[in-house]
Amino acid sequence: MTPGWVSHAIWWQVYPLGFVGAFPAARPPDPGEHRLRRLVDWFDHAIALGASGVALGPVFASRTHGYDTTDHYRIDPRLGDDADFDHVVAEAHRRGLRVLLDGVFNHVGVDFPRYRDAPHDAASARWFRGRPGGFHTFERHPELIALNHDNPEVADYSVDVMTHWLGRGADGWRLDAAYAVPQRFWASTLPRVRERFPDAWFVGELIHGDYAAVVEAATFDSATQYELWKAIWSGLNDGNFFELDWALRRHNGFLASFAPLTFIGNHDVTRVASRLERPEHLPHALVILLTVGGVPSVYAGDELGFRGVKEERRGGDDAVRPEFGPPPAPLDDFGAKVWRLHLYLVGFRRRHPWLHAASTTAVRLENRHYVYETRAGDDALLVALNIDDEPLRLVLSELGAARARMVAGSAAPPQDIVDTAVVEPHGWLILSPV
């Protein structure tokens, strides 16, 4: 059973090592710098945005980017120590913010003690797939050593790690590279964690495949919605709303059994402001994110119009994982406009919590025009997107609604009840049928 608080969740996602300038860094920070505490300075910003939780990237000891874990029980010394973690959680909860941790249980780094012992200790060698000198790696990264999920000790270890940090105040886990772990492993470990922490939330990182089947088999509460992420930006770039409609029809199927984690940016992908070929289409992407069902997540900096391109090379993530100074961030005109848009649309989502479970139906679908109804029970809205150079005229009776109130849009419409509406070129409009 998914915890009830998730139906109101909107995450502000942070990659801590980059956010506080701990990685990459010419000189590794000292634990005495307590950099993890810098996150607290931004919590009021997350509240202003309208977020209800902070989703943290890796905070556990590692050699480099955090996904090569050395010790799951130790806060990365470049960030600080246990007291710093406790302070961050306490300050988040004091503000009503949930805290989601990022757990890597598919692989470990080369400094992981069991891996170091494996060449001369048979029990340690059984923690990994393969054999000493030929252990399997994650996606051919030699510094990421694949765990043996058939070993009961690995299962016990993973359960203990998750319960340890939930006991320290975390509210849930993002399970990194969950797609690479046998589903039976999750199905045997997560129920053991839920026995002690029934209110915790678990979201598996999935990229492709039958999300609903994997979520059910693995007993996840949710999964990362990469299909929808890709369809949003590529549909806008290509002038092909048919791709987006296909993804939303798939999305409806997922919503029948779970609420996916939705996003238009995260720490692993090019920022949406850089991905979209036309900056005037960024509002369309955000409108989609915040008017369809699921659990929305905003990647820190996207709400400020940050740009950054991910490259497939060593260090290729650095541009999308920058250091943040103390708030407020200096903004150019574009960034200020993007911030105001986020404030409005995240607030709109908060004022319409039923959107968490809403499904969508296309009522007008063309390459560069898309009008969909988003509905949960008796609650419904019409969302109109126009990425054409000409205005889009809507006759509401042709869309299944005799009249509607214009409640939001790129042209800042009045709160009028109309039977026809016009969406400006490269504009958007949200209507409430009456």
Side-chain angles (χ1 to χ4, degrees), residues 33 127 138 261 373 386:
E33 296 179 37
W127 273 56
F138 173 58
L261 179 68
E373 179 190 68
N386 180 15

Side-chain angles (χ1 to χ4, degrees), residues 98-166:
R98 301 276 178 172
V99 177
L100 187 72
L101 296 182
D102 199 343
V104 189
F105 300 106
N106 175 67
H107 51 267
V108 295
V110 294
D111 291 332
F112 190 73
R114 286 283 189 174
Y115 178 71
R116 291 202 306 264
D117 293 343
H120 50 80
D121 179 64
S124 294
R126 287 193 292 272
W127 273 56
F128 308 99
R129 292 171 53 204
R131 50 189 173 78
F135 287 128
H136 296 188
T137 59
F138 173 58
E139 296 182 350
R140 299 185 179 180
H141 296 291
E143 70 279 10
L144 304 178
I145 314 303
L147 288 165
N148 174 16
H149 297 97
D150 291 326
N151 185 341
E153 292 184 11
V154 172
D156 292 345
Y157 176 84
S158 301
V159 169
D160 194 63
V161 169
M162 284 188 267
T163 56
H164 173 81
W165 293 105
L166 290 170

